């Protein structure tokens, strides 16, 4: 059943087919030695982004979660080939999906290694990757690069208000993502939209034991992934 409310099943089937074609085309160019040495990393990054967007588009389309688990493993198995130094959506979504899908620890270890090599240490990454062990440090206003994510601290600092904190976070989630490359893609004539989802809100709700029924009315909240996490923990 279609999870997204902004596009049709036909749209997502077409989007996924295009991403698969791009992945195959880029991969063939690499294997055939048709990519200049200085462009190899860029092409590999493009393949990774296509796989990432295809995974989210499949969630938007409504494919079974078992298929999402397979797509996630294919995304991570060869490493993280993406520059996570700009924006937070990709790393946060990748980590959060791994949690919600109960990804094998070997895939989560690949993510940890990538963050370590990139020297990226953020409280939100640490909290999610430790499956809820509160980091020894929490950011202060003006310190965290993306201040919007500071709102999630409200759920960590006072678990009793976690539902309120996550609801407030989701209410302003889309507007505060305006710096991300995909912002406004639902209105693009280029058909670049793959779905708007706050997977980190889902992961946080799952980790903190928040009842997803109390958040099911919120846009961008991946409730069925939280249900899946709870059913398999």
């Amino acid at each position: 059943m279609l999870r997204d409310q902004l596009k049709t099943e036909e749209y997502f089937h077409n989007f996924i087919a295009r991403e698969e074609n791009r992945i195959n085309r880029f991969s063939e160019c690499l294997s055939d030695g048709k990519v200049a040495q200085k462009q190899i990393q860029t092409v590999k990054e493009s393949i990774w982004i296509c796989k990432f967007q295809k995974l989210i588009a499949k969630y938007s389309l409504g494919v079974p979660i078992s298929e999402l688990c397979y797509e996630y493993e294919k995304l991570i198995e060869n490493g993280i080939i993406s520059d996570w130094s700009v924006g937070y959506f990709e790393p946060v979504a990748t980590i959060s999906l791994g949690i919600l899908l109960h990804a094998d620890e070997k895939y989560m270890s690949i993510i940890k290694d990538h963050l370590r090599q990139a020297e990226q240490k953020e409280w939100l990454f640490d909290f999610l990757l430790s499956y809820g062990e509160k980091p020894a440090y929490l950011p202060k206003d003006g310190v965290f690069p993306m201040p919007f994510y500071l709102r999630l601290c409200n759920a960590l600092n006072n678990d009793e208000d976690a539902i309120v904190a996550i609801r407030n976070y989701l209410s302003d989630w889309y507007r505060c993502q305006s710096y991300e490359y995909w912002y406004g893609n639902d209105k693009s004539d280029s058909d670049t939209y793959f779905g708007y989802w706050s997977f980190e809100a889902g992961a946080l709700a799952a980790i903190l034991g928040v009842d997803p029924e109390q958040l099911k009315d919120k846009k961008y909240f991946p409730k069925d992934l939280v249900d899946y996490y709870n059913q398999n923990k």
Side-chain angles (χ1 to χ4, degrees), residues 30 39-52 74-84 90 94 110-111 114 117:
L30 285 174
Q39 294 297 322
I40 288 178
Q41 183 63 23
T42 299
V43 173
K44 288 182 176 180
E45 288 182 4
S46 296
I47 292 173
W48 196 91
I49 294 296
C50 287
K51 290 181 177 180
F52 175 78
K74 299 298 288 183
L75 174 71
I76 305 297
E77 64 183 2
N78 294 321
I80 309 299
I81 312 298
S82 181
D83 181 6
W84 281 358
E90 284 179 23
T94 303
I110 290 173
I111 294 172
H114 179 75
Q117 292 170 11

Side-chain angles (χ1 to χ4, degrees), residues 22 25 65 70 88 91 120 122 136 139-140 181 197 206 210 224:
R22 293 179 68 202
R25 187 170 69 252
I65 290 180
Y70 173 78
Y88 267 64
Q120 286 185 279
E122 300 292 356
K140 297 179 181 180
Y181 69 91
W197 301 102
V210 170
D224 60 341

Side-chain angles (χ1 to χ4, degrees), residues 157-203:
N157 288 328
N158 188 342
D159 291 348
E160 293 181 1
D161 293 331
I163 293 174
V164 174
I166 295 173
R167 287 185 69 86
N168 290 339
Y169 177 82
L170 287 166
S171 293
D172 217 19
W173 182 81
Y174 178 71
R175 185 184 67 82
C176 290
Q177 302 292 323
S178 59
Y179 58 87
E180 292 287 358
Y181 69 91
W182 46 261
Y183 183 83
N185 275 1
D186 59 308
K187 300 178 180 64
S188 170
D189 294 332
S190 301
D191 292 340
T192 52
Y193 173 74
F194 49 87
Y196 296 146
W197 301 102
S198 177
F199 297 111
E200 71 279 8

Side-chain angles (χ1 to χ4, degrees), residues 80 84 91 95 105-122 125-126 129:
I80 309 299
W84 281 358
I95 294 169
E105 178 56 32
K106 67 180 179 181
Y107 298 110
M108 303 308 286
S109 294
I110 290 173
I111 294 172
K112 293 175 185 178
D113 288 343
H114 179 75
L115 291 171
R116 190 178 302 114
Q117 292 170 11
E119 297 183 345
Q120 286 185 279
K121 181 177 176 61
E122 300 292 356
F125 298 162
D126 290 348
L129 287 168

